[in-house]
Amino acid sequence: MKPINDGHVAEPALAVVEVAADDETAFTVQKLLATQWAIAPADRTTHELGEPGVRLRCYLDMRQQPTP
């Protein structure tokens, strides 16, 4: 996974959330976050060799309402 850069968290209320879980759980967490805040969702998970489960990263903008 690419490193998080300064632009992703440059202002208050911007956040990067990385979930480590199985695929179904990771996407469920992303859906729950999307009900509260505007997010740039991930469309796939990644798996790092030697690491348990998969990773999913999404970007939150807590200044904006979620898109219906």
Side-chain angles (χ1 to χ4, degrees):
M1 209 171 256
K2 293 181 180 179
I4 297 167
N5 69 49
D6 292 340
H8 294 132
V9 293
E11 298 177 30
L14 297 180
V16 179
V17 176
E18 190 169 290
V19 178
D22 62 89
D23 275 323
E24 183 179 350
T25 303
F27 283 111
T28 299
V29 169
Q30 178 175 258
K31 286 179 187 177
L32 288 170
L33 292 170
T35 65
Q36 297 297 312
W37 301 290
I39 69 168
D43 57 357
R44 63 182 177 83
T45 57
T46 59
H47 176 72
E48 300 288 332
L49 286 175
E51 295 289 325
V54 298
R55 302 291 187 271
L56 179 138
R57 183 183 291 172
C58 59
Y59 303 89
L60 278 67
D61 185 343
M62 296 184 290
R63 302 168 299 183
Q64 297 181 30
Q65 294 296 319
T67 303

